[in-house]
Amino acid sequence: MATTHKTRMLIIGSGPAGLSAAIYGARAGMEPIVVQGLQPGGQLTITTDVENYPGFADVIQGPWLMEQMQKQAEHVGTRMMWDTITEVDLENGSPFVAKGDGGDTYVGDVLVISTGAQAKWLNVPGEAELGGKGVSACATCDGFFYRGKKVAVIGGGNTAVEEALYLTNHSDDVTLIHRRDELRSEKILQDRLFASEKISMMWNKVVERFEGEGKLERLVLRDTQTGAISELEVDGAFVAIGHAPATELFKGKLPMDESGYLLVEPGTPKTAIPGVFACGDVMDHTYRQAVTAAGTGCMAALDAERFLATLEFAQKEAVAAE
């Protein structure tokens, strides 16, 4: 039977941003509800080794980290809901109403959006099977594991060029593979790329499949002009063809940029609607790290607490004036 769940803080999404918001919100007495969505725990649940999250001397596992964050959030008073939001009503301001695909309704005095973003993949054979075993979508996250090894980056935009340049900190043999004969990235990035002696280009090539026994060993490439098939031996390959923020639910309801990321007031998680906050990868197309997502989740909770305090004070003043 459909149920209505009410809370002072409703959080949609359960990655590092959402759970950090929940931890801070719960400690402030807002009794948050986190609706976990289709991928509870976010992208870190499909990440193996995590070596750059502060506080851990040894390598930790992504799923374990998210499990610990959830336990911490629950320990301080967060309610976790196994549901996926399919509809939100933001027009009437606070309280905000959301509906889950199971029929339940969620009502929150403030709304924190932390639905994240997903890396775009090539969807070719071997990509999923070798994910975390040589195939990655984040050089900043995983480049450290390829020190002194041969790596490739697939893509031609700003993200791909930035990933290739970053990888030169760890590898002297970086290959950038692009399906066309010119890059789409900004000129200043191209100038840095072409000036690097550690980076070589493969033009007019697409990856047909990733191959290897237990780990990535080679890329099978097809020439987009001649159709010729070739192979490139690599230890690591980074797919850098962009990210897709999970903002379909908010189209026409909140301002977004041309790529679909939610727009916020600079330096804050505040959206155009008072009481609605966005944090993590859903509003961050630059850094996309677990630690930065957690930081913006903290910011969202602190701003939400201030918003509620102001709202409740105004309501008391209105009652007193009657």
Side-chain angles (χ1 to χ4, degrees), residues 22-177:
I23 290 166
Y24 274 81
R27 286 173 55 81
M30 289 188 279
E31 299 178 335
I33 288 177
V34 173
V35 183
Q36 299 188 74
L38 291 172
Q39 189 178 11
Q43 293 185 76
L44 274 181
T45 59
I46 57 172
T47 301
T48 51
D49 292 348
V50 175
E51 204 167 27
N52 55 5
Y53 197 87
F56 302 95
D58 297 322
V59 177
I60 57 174
Q61 299 298 299
W64 177 85
L65 177 60
M66 296 318 302
E67 179 184 319
Q68 294 303 303
M69 281 193 188
Q70 179 176 328
K71 287 181 178 179
Q72 184 179 5
E74 290 176 316
H75 176 72
V76 291
T78 300
R79 282 188 287 164
M80 306 295 299
M81 307 300 292
W82 291 87
D83 205 347
T84 301
I85 299 300
T86 58
E87 185 180 342
V88 291
D89 180 5
L90 308 180
E91 289 184 9
N92 301 313
S94 178
F96 305 99
V97 180
K99 293 187 177 179
D101 65 359
D104 282 8
T105 299
Y106 301 87
V107 181
D109 294 334
V110 294
L111 176 64
V112 175
I113 301 168
S114 55
T115 47
Q118 295 289 336
K120 295 179 181 177
W121 295 95
L122 299 173
N123 295 317
V124 298
E127 185 177 52
E129 293 81 355
L130 294 171
K133 302 172 184 176
V135 178
S136 171
C138 182
T140 310
C141 310
D142 299 329
F144 184 76
F145 299 113
Y146 298 92
R147 299 185 301 279
K149 297 183 179 181
K150 182 177 175 60
V151 295
V153 178
I154 301 122
N158 285 350
T159 298
V161 175
E162 288 170 349
E163 298 265 273
L165 288 167
Y166 173 81
L167 285 167
T168 61
N169 295 315
H170 305 295
S171 170
D172 292 333
D173 193 346
V174 180
T175 302
L176 182 59
I177 301 168

Side-chain angles (χ1 to χ4, degrees), residues 225-290:
Q225 295 184 329
T226 68
I229 300 297
S230 60
E231 293 186 356
L232 177 68
E233 293 187 358
V234 293
D235 299 296
F238 297 85
V239 179
I241 57 175
H243 286 72
T247 53
E248 188 71 28
L249 189 62
F250 308 101
K251 284 186 176 178
K253 300 178 180 181
L254 286 170
M256 304 177 185
D257 67 11
E258 63 278 4
S259 299
Y261 288 87
L262 294 179
L263 295 177
V264 294
E265 182 181 313
T268 81
K270 298 175 183 177
T271 70
I273 298 179
V276 178
F277 306 90
C279 55
D281 288 6
V282 77
M283 47 73 77
D284 173 20
H285 52 71
T286 303
Y287 301 104
R288 296 193 301 268
Q289 300 297 301

Side-chain angles (χ1 to χ4, degrees), residues 172-205:
D172 292 333
D173 193 346
V174 180
T175 302
L176 182 59
I177 301 168
H178 186 40
R179 64 184 301 127
R180 300 183 179 87
D181 59 2
E182 61 179 1
L183 298 171
R184 295 176 286 107
S185 61
E186 298 172 358
K187 186 178 184 301
I188 189 170
L189 287 175
Q190 294 190 40
D191 291 343
R192 290 176 56 200
L193 180 85
F194 297 138
S196 175
E197 297 180 353
K198 298 181 179 181
I199 301 174
S200 57
M201 293 297 308
M202 292 192 75
W203 301 106
N204 302 310
K205 297 287 192 298

